Amino acid sequence: MINQAEWLWQRIIERGSNNGSNFKESLNLQSGAIDQEFQLLEDTLGVILPEELKSFYRVYNGQVLELGANPFVKNLTLSPTTEIIDNWFFLLEEFDPDDLEPDIEKELKPFLWNSKWIPIAVNGGGDYLCIDTDPSEAGVVGQVLYFWHDWGNRSIKAKNIFEFIEICLNEEI
């Protein structure tokens, strides 16, 4: 029986294949992540990964970013677990964790950058799609947000990665 993550990946690939040939190949997908990679990610970032995220990454461990590679949804490239760690360290160095962002959605803690955000995808312009493992009381663990590098607005896009992908697939029709 197919699980939800596998089904979403099938839909992503089918949708892209309708717009051109060799879409799956142009995604540059990596083999699924294994438990040791999840453990390294959790230990390094000091978080517990949501089960939906693990399930999604067990199918494909992100994309190899190369010229001509297609985004998996919207304009986003899904980062492999090793790149998530690199991006997280970069963001940790760039933004002081004590910097507050007063104008923020109620589901988020009011930080410019929160070290408990997992940067899972990039748009190539310095912006990240993140999974929040440290929400405010109004939020939920696993909620998906955009982290804009040059704009303080942090916006919640979905309650989890599966919902985010569903939204993206339905928007692009």
Side-chain angles (χ1 to χ4, degrees), residues 77-119:
T77 302
L78 188 67
S79 301
T81 55
T82 54
E83 190 176 303
I84 289 172
I85 292 171
D86 292 344
N87 290 338
W88 181 81
F89 274 119
F90 170 76
L91 290 163
L92 201 58
E93 291 172 7
E94 288 294 307
F95 298 94
D96 187 336
D98 295 327
D99 285 348
L100 296 180
E101 178 60 44
D103 184 28
I104 201 159
E105 291 189 19
K106 68 182 188 312
E107 295 89 355
L108 297 168
K109 289 187 176 174
F111 299 112
L112 187 60
W113 166 252
N114 186 334
S115 65
K116 302 296 183 187
W117 292 344
I118 305 168

Short mmCIF file of all heavy atoms in Angstrom, two decimals, residues 77-119:
data_model
loop_
_atom_site.label_atom_id
_atom_site.label_comp_id
_atom_site.label_asym_id
_atom_site.label_seq_id
_atom_site.Cartn_x
_atom_site.Cartn_y
_atom_site.Cartn_z
N THR A 77 13.60 24.33 -4.49
CA THR A 77 14.41 23.14 -4.61
C THR A 77 14.49 22.51 -3.22
O THR A 77 14.85 23.19 -2.25
CB THR A 77 15.82 23.48 -5.11
OG1 THR A 77 15.70 24.15 -6.37
CG2 THR A 77 16.67 22.24 -5.27
N LEU A 78 14.17 21.23 -3.13
CA LEU A 78 14.19 20.53 -1.85
C LEU A 78 15.63 20.18 -1.49
O LEU A 78 16.32 19.49 -2.23
CB LEU A 78 13.33 19.26 -1.93
CG LEU A 78 13.11 18.52 -0.62
CD1 LEU A 78 12.24 19.36 0.33
CD2 LEU A 78 12.45 17.17 -0.88
N SER A 79 16.07 20.65 -0.33
CA SER A 79 17.44 20.43 0.11
C SER A 79 17.64 19.02 0.66
O SER A 79 16.82 18.54 1.44
CB SER A 79 17.80 21.43 1.22
OG SER A 79 17.66 22.75 0.77
N PRO A 80 18.75 18.36 0.28
CA PRO A 80 19.09 17.09 0.93
C PRO A 80 19.42 17.34 2.40
O PRO A 80 19.71 18.48 2.80
CB PRO A 80 20.34 16.63 0.17
CG PRO A 80 20.41 17.46 -1.07
CD PRO A 80 19.67 18.72 -0.77
N THR A 81 19.41 16.29 3.21
CA THR A 81 19.64 16.47 4.65
C THR A 81 20.99 17.15 4.93
O THR A 81 21.08 17.98 5.84
CB THR A 81 19.56 15.13 5.40
OG1 THR A 81 20.46 14.19 4.80
CG2 THR A 81 18.14 14.58 5.36
N THR A 82 22.02 16.84 4.16
CA THR A 82 23.32 17.47 4.40
C THR A 82 23.26 18.98 4.12
O THR A 82 23.89 19.78 4.82
CB THR A 82 24.42 16.84 3.53
OG1 THR A 82 24.01 16.87 2.16
CG2 THR A 82 24.70 15.41 3.95
N GLU A 83 22.52 19.36 3.10
CA GLU A 83 22.38 20.77 2.76
C GLU A 83 21.51 21.50 3.79
O GLU A 83 21.74 22.69 4.07
CB GLU A 83 21.78 20.92 1.36
CG GLU A 83 21.83 22.33 0.83
CD GLU A 83 21.31 22.39 -0.59
OE1 GLU A 83 21.85 21.68 -1.46
OE2 GLU A 83 20.34 23.15 -0.82
N ILE A 84 20.53 20.81 4.36
CA ILE A 84 19.73 21.41 5.44
C ILE A 84 20.66 21.83 6.57
O ILE A 84 20.56 22.94 7.10
CB ILE A 84 18.66 20.42 5.95
CG1 ILE A 84 17.56 20.22 4.92
CG2 ILE A 84 18.06 20.92 7.27
CD1 ILE A 84 16.57 19.12 5.27
N ILE A 85 21.59 20.96 6.93
CA ILE A 85 22.53 21.27 8.00
C ILE A 85 23.39 22.47 7.62
O ILE A 85 23.56 23.39 8.41
CB ILE A 85 23.39 20.03 8.34
CG1 ILE A 85 22.51 18.95 8.99
CG2 ILE A 85 24.56 20.41 9.25
CD1 ILE A 85 23.18 17.60 9.17
N ASP A 86 23.93 22.47 6.40
CA ASP A 86 24.75 23.61 5.95
C ASP A 86 23.96 24.91 5.98
O ASP A 86 24.46 25.95 6.45
CB ASP A 86 25.26 23.37 4.52
CG ASP A 86 26.27 22.23 4.44
OD1 ASP A 86 26.81 21.81 5.49
OD2 ASP A 86 26.50 21.75 3.30
N ASN A 87 22.72 24.89 5.47
CA ASN A 87 21.89 26.09 5.45
C ASN A 87 21.54 26.55 6.86
O ASN A 87 21.50 27.75 7.14
CB ASN A 87 20.62 25.85 4.64
CG ASN A 87 20.91 25.72 3.16
OD1 ASN A 87 21.93 26.18 2.66
ND2 ASN A 87 20.02 25.05 2.45
N TRP A 88 21.28 25.60 7.75
CA TRP A 88 20.94 25.93 9.14
C TRP A 88 22.12 26.62 9.80
O TRP A 88 21.95 27.64 10.47
CB TRP A 88 20.56 24.65 9.89
CG TRP A 88 20.18 24.86 11.31
CD1 TRP A 88 18.97 25.29 11.79
CD2 TRP A 88 21.00 24.65 12.46
NE1 TRP A 88 18.99 25.35 13.17
CE2 TRP A 88 20.24 24.96 13.59
CE3 TRP A 88 22.32 24.23 12.63
CZ2 TRP A 88 20.75 24.87 14.89
CZ3 TRP A 88 22.82 24.13 13.91
CH2 TRP A 88 22.04 24.45 15.02
N PHE A 89 23.35 26.11 9.62
CA PHE A 89 24.54 26.76 10.19
C PHE A 89 24.72 28.16 9.61
O PHE A 89 25.05 29.10 10.32
CB PHE A 89 25.80 25.91 9.97
CG PHE A 89 26.03 24.88 11.03
CD1 PHE A 89 26.07 23.54 10.70
CD2 PHE A 89 26.22 25.25 12.36
CE1 PHE A 89 26.27 22.58 11.68
CE2 PHE A 89 26.43 24.30 13.35
CZ PHE A 89 26.47 22.96 13.02
N PHE A 90 24.51 28.30 8.31
CA PHE A 90 24.62 29.61 7.67
C PHE A 90 23.64 30.61 8.30
O PHE A 90 24.02 31.72 8.66
CB PHE A 90 24.36 29.49 6.16
CG PHE A 90 24.22 30.82 5.48
CD1 PHE A 90 25.33 31.61 5.21
CD2 PHE A 90 22.96 31.31 5.14
CE1 PHE A 90 25.19 32.85 4.61
CE2 PHE A 90 22.82 32.55 4.54
CZ PHE A 90 23.94 33.32 4.27
N LEU A 91 22.39 30.20 8.43
CA LEU A 91 21.37 31.09 9.00
C LEU A 91 21.65 31.39 10.47
O LEU A 91 21.43 32.51 10.93
CB LEU A 91 19.98 30.47 8.83
CG LEU A 91 19.49 30.45 7.39
CD1 LEU A 91 18.32 29.48 7.23
CD2 LEU A 91 19.12 31.84 6.92
N LEU A 92 22.17 30.42 11.18
CA LEU A 92 22.51 30.62 12.59
C LEU A 92 23.61 31.67 12.73
O LEU A 92 23.59 32.49 13.66
CB LEU A 92 22.97 29.28 13.19
CG LEU A 92 22.91 29.11 14.68
CD1 LEU A 92 21.49 29.32 15.21
CD2 LEU A 92 23.43 27.74 15.08
N GLU A 93 24.57 31.67 11.80
CA GLU A 93 25.65 32.66 11.82
C GLU A 93 25.18 34.04 11.37
O GLU A 93 25.66 35.05 11.86
CB GLU A 93 26.80 32.19 10.93
CG GLU A 93 27.54 30.99 11.46
CD GLU A 93 28.54 30.44 10.46
OE1 GLU A 93 28.77 31.05 9.40
OE2 GLU A 93 29.11 29.36 10.75
N GLU A 94 24.24 34.07 10.43
CA GLU A 94 23.77 35.33 9.85
C GLU A 94 22.82 36.11 10.75
O GLU A 94 22.79 37.33 10.70
CB GLU A 94 23.08 35.06 8.51
CG GLU A 94 24.00 34.68 7.40
CD GLU A 94 24.95 35.81 7.01
OE1 GLU A 94 24.47 36.92 6.72
OE2 GLU A 94 26.17 35.56 6.98
N PHE A 95 22.03 35.41 11.54
CA PHE A 95 20.98 36.05 12.32
C PHE A 95 21.15 35.75 13.79
O PHE A 95 21.31 34.60 14.19
CB PHE A 95 19.59 35.59 11.84
CG PHE A 95 19.31 35.96 10.42
CD1 PHE A 95 19.57 35.08 9.39
CD2 PHE A 95 18.82 37.22 10.11
CE1 PHE A 95 19.34 35.42 8.08
CE2 PHE A 95 18.59 37.58 8.79
CZ PHE A 95 18.85 36.68 7.77
N ASP A 96 21.12 36.80 14.59
CA ASP A 96 21.22 36.66 16.03
C ASP A 96 19.92 36.07 16.56
O ASP A 96 18.84 36.61 16.32
CB ASP A 96 21.47 38.04 16.67
CG ASP A 96 21.76 37.96 18.14
OD1 ASP A 96 21.34 36.98 18.79
OD2 ASP A 96 22.40 38.88 18.66
N PRO A 97 20.00 34.95 17.30
CA PRO A 97 18.77 34.32 17.79
C PRO A 97 17.98 35.19 18.78
O PRO A 97 16.82 34.91 19.04
CB PRO A 97 19.27 33.03 18.46
CG PRO A 97 20.71 33.23 18.68
CD PRO A 97 21.20 34.22 17.68
N ASP A 98 18.61 36.25 19.29
CA ASP A 98 17.91 37.13 20.21
C ASP A 98 17.21 38.29 19.51
O ASP A 98 16.51 39.07 20.15
CB ASP A 98 18.89 37.68 21.26
CG ASP A 98 19.44 36.59 22.16
OD1 ASP A 98 18.71 35.62 22.43
OD2 ASP A 98 20.60 36.70 22.57
N ASP A 99 17.42 38.43 18.21
CA ASP A 99 16.75 39.50 17.47
C ASP A 99 15.26 39.18 17.38
O ASP A 99 14.87 38.11 16.91
CB ASP A 99 17.32 39.64 16.05
CG ASP A 99 18.67 40.32 16.03
OD1 ASP A 99 19.07 40.88 17.08
OD2 ASP A 99 19.34 40.28 14.98
N LEU A 100 14.47 40.13 17.81
CA LEU A 100 13.02 39.93 17.80
C LEU A 100 12.40 40.52 16.54
O LEU A 100 12.88 41.50 15.99
CB LEU A 100 12.39 40.56 19.04
CG LEU A 100 12.82 39.95 20.37
CD1 LEU A 100 12.13 40.68 21.52
CD2 LEU A 100 12.49 38.47 20.43
N GLU A 101 11.33 39.91 16.12
CA GLU A 101 10.54 40.40 14.99
C GLU A 101 9.13 40.63 15.53
O GLU A 101 8.35 39.69 15.68
CB GLU A 101 10.52 39.37 13.86
CG GLU A 101 9.70 39.76 12.67
CD GLU A 101 10.16 41.05 12.01
OE1 GLU A 101 11.36 41.24 11.83
OE2 GLU A 101 9.29 41.87 11.69
N PRO A 102 8.82 41.88 15.89
CA PRO A 102 7.54 42.14 16.55
C PRO A 102 6.31 41.91 15.67
O PRO A 102 5.26 41.54 16.15
CB PRO A 102 7.64 43.59 16.97
CG PRO A 102 8.67 44.19 16.09
CD PRO A 102 9.60 43.08 15.71
N ASP A 103 6.45 42.11 14.36
CA ASP A 103 5.32 41.98 13.45
C ASP A 103 5.35 40.58 12.83
O ASP A 103 5.86 40.39 11.74
CB ASP A 103 5.39 43.06 12.37
CG ASP A 103 4.19 43.02 11.46
OD1 ASP A 103 3.11 42.58 11.91
OD2 ASP A 103 4.33 43.41 10.29
N ILE A 104 4.82 39.61 13.57
CA ILE A 104 4.91 38.22 13.12
C ILE A 104 3.57 37.52 13.37
O ILE A 104 2.81 37.94 14.25
CB ILE A 104 6.07 37.51 13.85
CG1 ILE A 104 6.54 36.29 13.09
CG2 ILE A 104 5.72 37.19 15.28
CD1 ILE A 104 7.94 35.86 13.44
N GLU A 105 3.29 36.51 12.60
CA GLU A 105 2.02 35.79 12.77
C GLU A 105 1.95 35.14 14.13
O GLU A 105 2.97 34.71 14.69
CB GLU A 105 1.87 34.74 11.66
CG GLU A 105 1.66 35.39 10.30
CD GLU A 105 1.30 34.40 9.22
OE1 GLU A 105 0.87 33.28 9.53
OE2 GLU A 105 1.45 34.77 8.05
N LYS A 106 0.75 35.04 14.68
CA LYS A 106 0.56 34.57 16.06
C LYS A 106 1.00 33.13 16.27
O LYS A 106 1.30 32.73 17.38
CB LYS A 106 -0.90 34.76 16.49
CG LYS A 106 -1.90 33.86 15.77
CD LYS A 106 -3.32 34.14 16.22
CE LYS A 106 -4.37 33.23 15.74
NZ LYS A 106 -4.51 32.86 14.40
N GLU A 107 1.10 32.33 15.21
CA GLU A 107 1.53 30.93 15.33
C GLU A 107 3.04 30.79 15.54
O GLU A 107 3.53 29.72 15.85
CB GLU A 107 1.14 30.13 14.08
CG GLU A 107 -0.35 29.99 13.88
CD GLU A 107 -0.94 31.14 13.05
OE1 GLU A 107 -0.21 32.09 12.71
OE2 GLU A 107 -2.14 31.09 12.76
N LEU A 108 3.77 31.89 15.33
CA LEU A 108 5.22 31.87 15.43
C LEU A 108 5.70 32.61 16.67
O LEU A 108 5.08 33.58 17.11
CB LEU A 108 5.84 32.55 14.21
CG LEU A 108 5.59 31.89 12.87
CD1 LEU A 108 6.01 32.81 11.75
CD2 LEU A 108 6.34 30.57 12.78
N LYS A 109 6.84 32.16 17.20
CA LYS A 109 7.49 32.93 18.25
C LYS A 109 8.12 34.15 17.57
O LYS A 109 8.54 34.07 16.42
CB LYS A 109 8.53 32.07 18.96
CG LYS A 109 7.87 30.99 19.82
CD LYS A 109 8.87 30.25 20.65
CE LYS A 109 8.15 29.26 21.56
NZ LYS A 109 9.11 28.41 22.29
N PRO A 110 8.18 35.28 18.27
CA PRO A 110 8.55 36.55 17.61
C PRO A 110 10.05 36.76 17.38
O PRO A 110 10.62 37.76 17.76
CB PRO A 110 8.00 37.59 18.59
CG PRO A 110 8.13 36.94 19.91
CD PRO A 110 7.83 35.48 19.67
N PHE A 111 10.69 35.80 16.73
CA PHE A 111 12.12 35.91 16.44
C PHE A 111 12.34 36.17 14.96
O PHE A 111 11.62 35.65 14.11
CB PHE A 111 12.86 34.64 16.85
CG PHE A 111 12.77 34.33 18.32
CD1 PHE A 111 12.06 33.24 18.77
CD2 PHE A 111 13.39 35.14 19.25
CE1 PHE A 111 11.97 32.95 20.11
CE2 PHE A 111 13.30 34.86 20.60
CZ PHE A 111 12.59 33.76 21.04
N LEU A 112 13.39 36.93 14.66
CA LEU A 112 13.79 37.12 13.27
C LEU A 112 14.23 35.78 12.69
O LEU A 112 13.88 35.42 11.58
CB LEU A 112 14.94 38.14 13.20
CG LEU A 112 15.35 38.58 11.82
CD1 LEU A 112 14.19 39.23 11.10
CD2 LEU A 112 16.52 39.56 11.91
N TRP A 113 15.01 35.03 13.47
CA TRP A 113 15.41 33.67 13.10
C TRP A 113 15.30 32.80 14.34
O TRP A 113 15.73 33.19 15.42
CB TRP A 113 16.84 33.62 12.57
CG TRP A 113 17.37 32.22 12.50
CD1 TRP A 113 18.30 31.66 13.30
CD2 TRP A 113 16.94 31.18 11.61
NE1 TRP A 113 18.50 30.35 12.96
CE2 TRP A 113 17.67 30.02 11.92
CE3 TRP A 113 16.00 31.11 10.58
CZ2 TRP A 113 17.49 28.82 11.23
CZ3 TRP A 113 15.83 29.91 9.91
CH2 TRP A 113 16.58 28.79 10.23
N ASN A 114 14.72 31.62 14.19
CA ASN A 114 14.58 30.67 15.29
C ASN A 114 15.40 29.43 14.93
O ASN A 114 15.19 28.83 13.88
CB ASN A 114 13.10 30.31 15.47
CG ASN A 114 12.84 29.44 16.68
OD1 ASN A 114 13.70 28.71 17.14
ND2 ASN A 114 11.62 29.52 17.18
N SER A 115 16.33 29.06 15.79
CA SER A 115 17.21 27.92 15.50
C SER A 115 16.45 26.59 15.46
O SER A 115 17.01 25.57 15.06
CB SER A 115 18.33 27.83 16.55
OG SER A 115 17.79 27.56 17.82
N LYS A 116 15.17 26.62 15.82
CA LYS A 116 14.34 25.40 15.76
C LYS A 116 13.55 25.33 14.45
O LYS A 116 12.69 24.49 14.29
CB LYS A 116 13.38 25.33 16.95
CG LYS A 116 14.08 25.36 18.29
CD LYS A 116 14.96 24.16 18.50
CE LYS A 116 15.59 24.20 19.89
NZ LYS A 116 16.56 23.18 20.11
N TRP A 117 13.84 26.25 13.52
CA TRP A 117 13.28 26.18 12.18
C TRP A 117 14.21 25.33 11.33
O TRP A 117 15.44 25.51 11.36
CB TRP A 117 13.12 27.56 11.56
CG TRP A 117 12.08 28.42 12.23
CD1 TRP A 117 11.09 28.03 13.08
CD2 TRP A 117 11.95 29.83 12.09
NE1 TRP A 117 10.35 29.11 13.48
CE2 TRP A 117 10.85 30.24 12.89
CE3 TRP A 117 12.64 30.80 11.38
CZ2 TRP A 117 10.43 31.56 12.98
CZ3 TRP A 117 12.23 32.11 11.48
CH2 TRP A 117 11.12 32.49 12.26
N ILE A 118 13.66 24.42 10.55
CA ILE A 118 14.45 23.53 9.70
C ILE A 118 14.32 24.02 8.26
O ILE A 118 13.24 23.90 7.67
CB ILE A 118 13.94 22.08 9.82
CG1 ILE A 118 13.92 21.62 11.28
CG2 ILE A 118 14.80 21.16 8.96
CD1 ILE A 118 13.16 20.31 11.49
N PRO A 119 15.40 24.57 7.68
CA PRO A 119 15.33 25.08 6.30
C PRO A 119 15.40 23.95 5.27
O PRO A 119 16.47 23.51 4.88
CB PRO A 119 16.55 26.00 6.21
CG PRO A 119 17.53 25.40 7.17
CD PRO A 119 16.72 24.78 8.28
#
